[in-house]
Amino acid sequence: MTGERDAEHVEHIALERVGSRSRVRVAGSFDGRAREEFLAAVTAASGEGARVDIDLHGLEFIDSVGLSSVLVADRVVSDAGGRLRVLLPDTGSVR
């Protein structure tokens, strides 16, 4: 089963500016293998008064490590004096 999950594993993490906000887009699978890249993007977006969006519209799979990474991201941004919000698809469906 592990080999099967590895073959399915596709991740894409991108940091972009959208107006006055920074947006970290996560697409594909978000598990432990994506944690370091995700937190590096969030840290790069953080700063005094930063407004950071975590965009999960392209997310297909998230495990407990991915979920805990989103919580850590909130702490990173708020500790730097910023605000974080999570953008979810209208369906709310992620496996």
Side-chain angles (χ1 to χ4, degrees):
M1 183 80 176
T2 302
E4 211 173 286
R5 272 298 309 143
D6 289 344
E8 288 179 17
H9 181 76
V10 176
E11 66 186 52
H12 179 71
I13 297 171
L15 173 59
E16 58 190 42
R17 296 287 299 169
V18 179
S20 63
R21 304 190 74 87
S22 292
R23 180 170 293 169
V24 178
R25 290 184 185 271
V26 182
S29 296
F30 188 4
D31 56 22
R33 292 169 287 187
R35 180 182 177 92
E36 187 175 321
E37 183 181 356
F38 171 75
L39 292 175
V42 168
T43 300
S46 299
E48 186 60 40
R51 297 184 311 171
V52 180
D53 293 338
I54 305 299
D55 185 345
L56 301 179
H57 283 92
L59 193 64
E60 296 172 8
F61 171 82
I62 189 167
D63 70 1
S64 60
V65 175
L67 288 171
S68 72
S69 298
V70 173
L71 297 175
V72 170
D74 182 55
R75 191 169 347 126
V76 167
V77 173
S78 63
D79 286 352
R83 295 192 54 157
L84 181 132
R85 66 182 181 174
V86 178
L87 309 176
L88 300 169
D90 291 339
T91 62
S93 174
V94 174
R95 66 179 184 100

